[in-house]
Amino acid sequence: MQIDKDLVAASATPLVLAILAEGESYGYAILKRVRELSGGELEWTDGMLYPLLHRLGRLGYVTTEWRTPPEGRRRRYYAITEAGLAALAEQRRQWEAVTRALGNVWRGPGLMPALGEA
């Protein structure tokens, strides 16, 4: 399934913040986690993720630190800040409202058979 780019863009910030709320991470691991969480349906690229991480940094939602782990390769690690946690909480409230509204309308009379879920 191809997920519409507008939906991907709208969900990117809360998804990355939620992943970082699980613990600090680096770019490739974030991309892998997105793929895992979506059952492989979201395949983000570096070109999508890194501008988002830079924007989240400018907003004060994440911090970055270069590190060289024992395995060797130097990586930039990202961690969520208190401001990022507050933004995530607000994003979650908004997404829950949208999800609730969509769930209510999709369960409405006559719509489900049209979607092939009779």
Side-chain angles (χ1 to χ4, degrees):
M1 164 176 42
Q2 182 71 26
I3 298 176
D4 185 270
K5 67 179 181 172
D6 291 334
L7 190 53
V8 171
S11 62
T13 294
L15 192 49
V16 168
L17 289 176
I19 289 168
L20 292 176
E22 296 175 340
E24 66 182 12
S25 193
Y26 56 94
Y28 177 74
I30 294 169
L31 292 173
K32 187 176 171 185
R33 184 76 174 124
V34 167
R35 192 170 35 255
E36 174 188 303
L37 289 168
S38 69
E41 294 190 71
L42 289 174
E43 289 284 337
W44 289 3
T45 64
D46 293 353
M48 189 203 144
L49 177 63
Y50 289 106
L52 172 61
L53 288 168
H54 292 285
R55 185 174 63 80
L56 295 176
R58 285 192 306 275
L59 291 169
Y61 295 168
V62 300
T63 59
T64 64
E65 179 183 338
W66 282 100
R67 280 194 231 139
T68 305
E71 310 86 62
R73 189 161 182 261
R74 187 171 184 237
R75 294 181 175 138
R76 179 175 275 186
Y77 281 80
Y78 300 87
I80 195 166
T81 64
E82 289 298 321
L85 289 170
L88 175 58
E90 178 57 29
Q91 290 265 323
R92 183 175 177 169
R93 283 189 289 275
Q94 292 175 26
W95 274 98
E96 286 172 345
V98 170
T99 301
R100 189 171 41 255
L102 287 171
N104 288 336
V105 74
W106 286 339
R107 283 188 294 274
L111 185 58
M112 292 315 285
L115 293 175
E117 297 183 30

